[in-house]
Amino acid sequence: MTIVVEAAVACVFAWAVRKARRVGGQADAEVDYALDAAMDKVHGVVVRRLGPGGEVERLEQEAAAGQNEPSALTRRNVAIGLAEAVAQDDVFAQELQDAVKALEDAKRAADPKTLGAYSLTVGGNMDIKADSGSVAGGSVHVEGDLSLGNPPKPGAATS
């Protein structure tokens, strides 16, 4: 559970950094919605348990001040608060663990290396054709429904 607590502390700080950038007009146009939602969830779980003030507020202030990392003291204090909450409340422990896992899953999905160097993300229909003896292919990661049509037989005339 220590890894979950440390990940939660890092996430709350990163959430505050991203929030500060948006407020300052520096939002990245390519911010991934799923990653933002997962970070919001971890932040929400932590704030509901530890409260919006105190060490959580100090963590957010440090992020807003442009620090790349929270101070060691603030990180330690938030981690201690979370560790105590995890030890006292199994429901909270599971909620925090689930939120951190969802964040890690979102990070993996948003990482271009997950897809490979020659990957392409498509949000709609895509046609792949091979002409004149060439080869067409691809690797597909599907989240949701997938339907494949019947390709024409080799040598058949196409209209």
Side-chain angles (χ1 to χ4, degrees):
M1 192 53 77
T2 301
I3 293 171
V4 170
V5 167
E6 287 298 322
V9 173
C11 174
V12 171
F13 187 78
W15 176 91
V17 167
R18 288 175 88 145
K19 180 179 175 190
R21 284 185 182 153
R22 281 192 202 99
V23 169
Q26 302 295 320
D28 183 0
E30 311 256 341
V31 172
D32 179 45
Y33 175 76
L35 187 57
D36 273 352
M39 289 179 76
D40 286 347
K41 184 174 183 177
V42 173
H43 179 265
V45 168
V46 170
V47 169
R48 277 191 306 277
R49 182 57 187 229
L50 298 183
E55 293 301 321
V56 172
E57 184 176 349
R58 185 170 295 134
L59 195 70
E60 292 172 1
Q61 288 171 346
E62 290 176 8
Q67 291 181 216
N68 291 328
E69 294 285 328
S71 68
L73 178 62
T74 302
R75 177 186 290 274
R76 189 192 78 210
N77 290 344
V78 174
I80 288 170
L82 286 175
E84 288 174 353
V86 162
Q88 295 168 0
D89 186 346
D90 291 340
V91 173
F92 170 74
Q94 188 61 53
E95 185 180 14
L96 184 63
Q97 187 170 355
D98 292 347
V100 169
K101 183 182 181 316
L103 174 60
E104 293 301 320
D105 291 347
K107 281 181 183 176
R108 269 192 298 282
D111 184 357
K113 292 180 285 192
T114 301
L115 301 173
Y118 301 104
S119 66
L120 173 67
T121 301
V122 178
N125 294 333
M126 181 175 81
D127 293 321
I128 299 174
K129 296 180 181 178
D131 292 331
S132 304
S134 62
V135 176
S139 175
V140 179
H141 172 78
V142 177
E143 291 185 15
D145 296 333
L146 172 68
S147 61
L148 299 173
N150 291 326
K153 294 182 179 178
T158 59
S159 52

